[in-house]
Amino acid sequence: RVPSENGVWERRTTLPAPMFSRNDFSIWGFLKKCIGMELSKITMPVVFNEPLSFLQRITEYMEHAYLIHKACTMSDSIERMQLVAAFAVSAVASQWDRTGKPFNPLLGETYELTREDESYRLISEQVSHHPPISAFFAESLSQDFVFHGSIYPKLKFWGKSVEAEPKGTMTLELSKHKEAYTWTNPMCCVHNVILGKLWIEQYGTVEIVNHSTGDKCVLNFKPCGMFAVTCIKYQAECLAVKPYITFDSIQNIKYQNTSYEQNTGGAVDADEMPDVQETVTMIPGSTLQWRIAPRPAHSAQMYNFTSFAMTLNELEPGMEGVIAPTDCRLRPDIRAMENGDIDTASQEKERLEEKQRAARRERAKDGEDWSTRWFHQGVNPYTGTSDWVYTGGYFDRKYSDLPDIY
Ligand code: CLR
């Protein structure tokens, strides 16, 4: 733990160790045994992981929370919508080049992120194991917004690629404006699992609905790296094209190592990763809402993490004994992996998964059902679809009767 010169503790900017080289491992050598199987039921070798739990990966949404704070200060609902759209887009950008698989959360696992400096706190819980469902709830410390949702990443293995459909609704409520926005995340695809360089693509249409005004913002993520996004407002019969949000500084990300060359008899071609455009053409009259930050210099040796991602698994001073015992910062396999100890990570991952299976068998024997702790199943009041609702109370820190999952 390194205090800076003036003795103030600073959040870390790097991981304790660089990543284990994946060059000697073939993801295909492993996946070909799994064709036709449901990917969530497959235990992948830990070398394909990144040292974060899926709960931490979805928390990356909060990297650009200042966009929501800014939206709250806007008096015009169209300006608010633009910032909410920028927020939704910013979450897509942090996924760029992130082909490491986050650890599957254990049932009952939690992750809390309290960021007083950014004025928000978040709690998430793994509420279902099969299918895997993660629920989260974030709130502004100044009570100006809540952001919540649940994600069920439905994975399909297509041979050459793995496709993830992040099912679930994102809901953002701006209290002062009495507004609620909802949307769903775009599709996500990891290319070249057989041969070539792994790369990640996100595509599809994201419709952000402002349920108070009826405004809709349609973000069209075009496949193949066309990151251009337009924001459209439908109102009566007029259609106004609003700003153009661009991803121009993506060229700052250097592509590194990880090639999975395989002899597949020449039958399969790698899907080319599109070239990244260096310059961005702005539609005249448009305004730039948000721009991606370059990845830190050592990112390529560290799972292509953003600066924000580097901080997520840090056990900060004063956290021990304060965060719940189910918090994934306390997971020994993830901790070992971030320290570069891949063998311990792998053994611990196996042990935890076996412990989870044993606990499930016990419950089955006693006819007990699993009960979630901080969230309950319910209905999203705006979309009417099924959702996971925050029960509340996590930050009262009464952790009695939490399951022993590690
Ligand atoms: C993207 C942002 C969305 C929520 C979401 C859901 C599914 C996630 C995806 C995000 C990121 C990429 C992801 C995917 C599930 C599996 C996939 C973590 C967070 C990994 C990279 C698949 C690795 C597969 C190996 C075979 C390479 O809001």
Side-chain angles (χ1 to χ4, degrees):
R1 209 153 275 161
V2 210
S4 74
E5 270 163 54
N6 56 13
V8 177
W9 173 85
E10 274 174 23
R11 220 161 257 118
R12 72 186 186 188
T13 55
T14 180
L15 298 181
M19 65 194 278
F20 198 81
S21 165
R22 289 185 188 148
N23 291 342
D24 302 333
F25 297 88
S26 139
I27 215 163
W28 173 242
F30 173 77
L31 277 181
K32 65 184 171 200
K33 296 178 268 181
C34 312
I35 292 181
M37 285 168 77
E38 201 196 303
L39 268 192
S40 67
K41 294 212 167 115
I42 294 165
T43 317
M44 299 255 299
V46 86
V47 65
F48 302 119
N49 282 43
E50 60 176 16
L52 289 179
S53 162
F54 189 74
L55 294 180
Q56 292 166 312
R57 179 99 171 232
I58 60 174
T59 300
E60 293 190 41
Y61 239 115
M62 299 310 287
E63 176 169 3
H64 306 282
Y66 62 88
L67 291 168
I68 322 181
H69 282 299
K70 193 170 167 196
C72 295
T73 67
M74 297 292 174
S75 52
D76 175 22
S77 70
I78 294 301
E79 278 179 312
R80 290 196 290 277
M81 175 65 96
Q82 289 174 11
L83 285 153
V84 173
F87 176 69
V89 169
S90 71
V92 171
S94 53
Q95 304 302 324
W96 180 259
D97 243 4
R98 294 280 297 282
T99 51
K101 187 181 179 299
F103 285 69
N104 285 338
L106 301 160
L107 187 58
E109 186 175 308
T110 59
Y111 182 66
E112 111 168 51
L113 185 68
T114 303
R115 288 288 301 259
E116 258 143 46
D117 51 340
E118 301 277 332
S119 190
Y120 68 80
R121 60 187 188 187
L122 170 143
I123 175 65
S124 57
E125 176 181 355
Q126 190 69 5
V127 291
S128 164
H129 186 59
H130 285 308
I133 304 176
S134 314
F136 68 90
F137 177 86
E139 63 190 348
S140 145
L141 297 178
S142 46
Q143 274 84 50
D144 49 3
F145 72 80
V146 294
F147 173 52
H148 52 95
S150 53
I151 299 187
Y152 159 26
K154 206 171 175 199
L155 299 193
K156 271 193 216 138
F157 179 39
W158 289 105
K160 281 166 69 171
S161 58
V162 172
E163 192 179 57
E165 184 190 351
K167 286 177 166 285
T169 308
M170 308 289 105
T171 304
L172 173 68
E173 297 172 48
L174 308 183
S175 358
K176 195 174 100 191
H177 301 282
K178 297 193 171 55
E179 263 176 359
Y181 297 81
T182 60
W183 68 94
T184 53
N185 292 310
M187 297 288 283
C188 180
C189 185
V190 178
H191 289 272
N192 293 342
V193 296
I194 301 186
L195 89 175
K197 190 192 160 321
L198 288 182
W199 61 281
I200 199 163
E201 180 180 35
Q202 289 175 97
Y203 51 90
T205 303
V206 174
E207 267 193 16
I208 306 174
V209 181
N210 177 338
H211 292 268
S212 316
T213 59
D215 290 344
K216 228 189 229 177
C217 169
V218 181
L219 302 170
N220 187 7
F221 293 86
K222 299 190 175 133
C224 287
M226 292 169 66
F227 284 100
V229 164
T230 50
C231 177
I232 296 164
K233 189 209 172 197
Y234 294 106
Q235 200 188 47
E237 50 283 323
C238 81
L239 181 103
V241 177
K242 278 288 186 182
Y244 194 63
I245 303 167
T246 54
F247 284 63
D248 49 332
S249 45
I250 278 177
Q251 85 266 13
N252 290 317
I253 303 159
K254 301 274 181 300
Y255 306 113
Q256 278 273 321
N257 60 55
T258 46
S259 66
Y260 300 94
E261 302 295 333
Q262 283 287 303
N263 183 4
T264 50
V268 189
D269 297 325
D271 287 325
E272 284 298 311
M273 177 162 65
D275 285 335
V276 171
Q277 273 184 311
E278 304 253 327
T279 49
V280 161
T281 346
M282 294 276 289
I283 293 176
S286 63
T287 42
L288 188 67
Q289 290 293 330
W290 164 86
R291 173 189 274 240
I292 193 171
R295 300 275 163 100
H298 49 283
S299 173
Q301 288 79 48
M302 293 183 174
Y303 317 90
N304 293 322
F305 277 8
T306 59
S307 302
F308 186 77
M310 300 277 183
T311 68
L312 291 176
N313 201 40
E314 184 175 22
L315 208 50
E316 297 176 16
M319 262 184 184
E320 253 161 308
V322 174
I323 56 174
T326 45
D327 195 284
C328 45
R329 287 183 192 81
L330 306 172
R331 258 185 88 155
D333 50 353
I334 299 182
R335 186 64 61 199
M337 186 177 194
E338 87 160 28
N339 289 329
D341 186 350
I342 206 91
D343 295 329
T344 308
S346 172
Q347 283 157 22
E348 286 293 293
K349 181 167 169 276
E350 246 168 75
R351 182 183 66 77
L352 294 178
E353 282 162 359
E354 182 44 44
K355 185 167 174 170
Q356 168 164 261
R357 283 190 287 269
R360 192 185 48 224
R361 282 195 299 268
E362 276 303 301
R363 283 196 303 274
K365 207 177 79 199
D366 306 341
E368 272 173 37
D369 279 334
W370 174 262
S371 49
T372 55
R373 181 63 189 263
W374 310 110
F375 293 83
H376 59 269
Q377 211 159 8
V379 172
N380 185 300
Y382 308 106
T383 59
T385 50
S386 110
D387 206 344
W388 285 84
V389 181
Y390 181 48
T391 307
Y394 175 87
F395 292 97
D396 298 338
R397 307 205 177 280
K398 296 195 186 91
Y399 302 139
S400 53
D401 305 322
L402 280 179
D404 169 23
I405 53 175
Y406 305 140

